[in-house]
Structure formats: structure tokens, C-alpha cells
Amino acid sequence: MANAFLKSETIAATSLGLLERELVLANLVWSNAGFDFTGAKADSVTVRIPAQLNAREYDWRNDRSSDIVLDELAEDSLTVQLNKDIYSAVAVTDEELTLDIRDFGTQVLQPQVNAVAKAIDAGVANMIETATYSVPAIVVDEKDPFPAFNDARAALNKNEVPTNDRTLLIGADVETALLKSGRLNDVSKLRDRSIVNLFAGFNVMTDPVGGGKNPTKRLVRAVKLDMPTPSKPPADK
């Protein structure tokens, strides 16, 4: 199977942009490419989660007969396992490399990197969609989605999720409903082979909820929004 590189008398150096979906999901989750999985059991690493404590109050100006209560630190952990080998492979002949390819990075490597990036983005999307959330999905009103966003914000606040770096992730249908609502009117993507691959793993961050030695762990750092199937525009007559 041969590659199809465009050839003609003259080809403009500038080309049209790729018809690609915008890759944003992988940038919204915590990632670390510095993990050393070498020799790790089950190809997994454990991420340390700091211990959480609640402050206590000592009676003001008491007679000091009561002992202070000593709490125990209990760190938590999250396991991330490498279970995907994502790659893009393209066969490039000597003739193509010599006569047909003007810019290897643009014509060969960039499409490969884009393919791998899309696969990573799809993996993150699947993790988000299939995760079990602590808070039931909040229904988004197609006519005015904004109240649902406020409800999601309130749920995160009650679970003491830090306000910094919060992101509202919405799809095309919710975006359309939001724009139509008018809420944003005032605000002002021989044969050599070229192979790109990486190992990847995905997991959902859960935190202990409640007290005790074995608290239940739930996903509280995110809230799921759900909008019923949007109404279809009237068909052209």
C-alpha cells in the first residue's frame, strides 16, 4: 500500500488547516509524564494524596484539666495503571522520502501526532463520561442552561473543592443552548517507518467522604451536567 502525497508542477507552501475536532480534554486533567513504571507491579504507580484533618477547639480559659485530642494522619492513594499502547505507524519508502516528501514534520509526523493526540483526548472523554459521580447529574435546561451551572458550582463548594482551576466543560448542544439563552451576549482550535506511540492510563480521582477509619471514597471534585436531547430545528419546506 502506497502513500498518497500530493504532487504537481507547483504547490503552495501554505496549506489548509486540518479538519480536526478541538483537542482540549487532555489539557484539563492532571497528567505526569515523569512516572517511572520500570519494574512496577502490574505496570502501575501509586499517587500519594495528602492526609486531611479537621481542627478542634479547646475550651477558652479552662482549668487545663482536660487533655487535648490527638488526631492521626491517614494519607490516601490513587493507583494509575498503564494499560494502553497508543500508536500511529506509517510506511515511508526511500523514493517517497527522497522525491515526494518536502517537509517530513508537516506531511508525516504532524498527522501522526494528531492521531495519537485524538486517541488520548478520546480516552479522557470516556473516563469523564463513564465516571461515577458523588452528586447526581444536574439537568440542564435547554432554554436557560445557566442555573444548572450555578447548581454545579454550589455542589463543588459544599464538597470544599478549591475554586481555582475550575473548568466548565460543555459539548456542542449545551454551548448552542447557552449562546441562544443570551447569557453571553455581553462578554466578548527498502522502507523506513515513522511511528509515534505512547503508553497511557486513566483513572478517576476520588476522596474520602465522612469520618472513621474506613471512609467511603467518592468522586467529589467534579459534577456531571446532563441536558435532555435538544429539540431539532424545523425542517425546511
Side-chain angles (χ1 to χ4, degrees):
M1 181 181 296
N3 297 304
F5 294 105
L6 184 62
K7 295 187 293 184
S8 65
E9 287 76 10
T10 303
I11 299 179
T14 303
S15 61
L16 292 176
L18 294 176
L19 185 61
E20 297 278 10
R21 77 177 189 186
E22 189 173 3
L23 304 178
V24 296
L25 300 183
N27 296 324
L28 300 180
V29 297
W30 179 79
S31 61
N32 189 332
F35 283 148
D36 184 6
F37 283 85
T38 305
K41 182 180 179 181
D43 299 323
S44 63
V45 296
T46 299
V47 181
R48 186 192 309 274
I49 302 175
Q52 301 182 43
L53 292 174
N54 293 319
R56 300 181 182 274
E57 185 175 342
Y58 199 50
D59 292 338
W60 182 252
R61 291 188 180 275
N62 64 59
D63 59 8
R64 300 303 191 266
S65 61
S66 300
D67 293 332
I68 62 173
V69 178
L70 299 178
D71 293 311
E72 294 181 350
L73 291 170
E75 293 184 333
D76 202 355
S77 63
L78 171 70
T79 299
V80 178
Q81 183 180 32
L82 281 182
N83 54 12
K84 296 182 181 297
D85 185 356
I86 302 173
Y87 74 94
S88 170
V90 176
V92 181
T93 65
D94 289 343
E95 294 87 346
E96 290 173 332
L97 193 60
T98 303
L99 303 175
D100 300 340
I101 299 175
R102 294 186 57 186
D103 187 331
F104 185 86
T106 300
Q107 295 177 265
V108 179
L109 193 57
Q110 182 176 338
Q112 290 186 282
V113 172
N114 286 345
V116 172
K118 285 192 295 184
I120 292 294
D121 224 51
V124 176
N126 180 69
M127 179 182 67
I128 293 174
E129 292 171 356
T130 60
T132 301
Y133 294 83
S134 175
V135 178
I138 297 174
V139 178
V140 178
D141 185 352
E142 181 183 356
K143 295 182 179 179
D144 187 7
F146 210 78
F149 303 160
N150 287 330
D151 292 340
R153 181 176 183 272
L156 294 175
N157 291 342
K158 290 178 181 179
N159 283 316
E160 301 180 351
V161 178
T163 58
N164 59 301
D165 296 330
R166 288 186 185 178
T167 300
L168 175 63
L169 181 63
I170 58 177
D173 292 333
V174 176
E175 178 191 25
T176 300
L178 182 59
L179 292 173
K180 287 183 177 179
S181 71
R183 292 280 190 171
L184 300 182
N185 286 347
D186 297 329
V187 178
S188 302
K189 334 98 139 212
L190 279 49
R191 185 171 80 171
D192 293 325
R193 293 184 300 168
S194 174
I195 300 176
V196 175
N197 83 300
L198 55 81
F199 300 136
F202 307 93
N203 202 351
V204 174
M205 178 68 175
T206 58
D207 292 279
V209 178
K213 292 185 178 180
N214 297 304
T216 302
K217 295 174 66 176
R218 297 177 180 173
L219 172 57
V220 299
R221 296 175 184 250
V223 175
K224 186 175 183 178
L225 297 166
D226 188 18
M227 186 176 73
T229 302
S231 57
K232 296 182 179 180
D236 295 333
K237 295 183 179 180

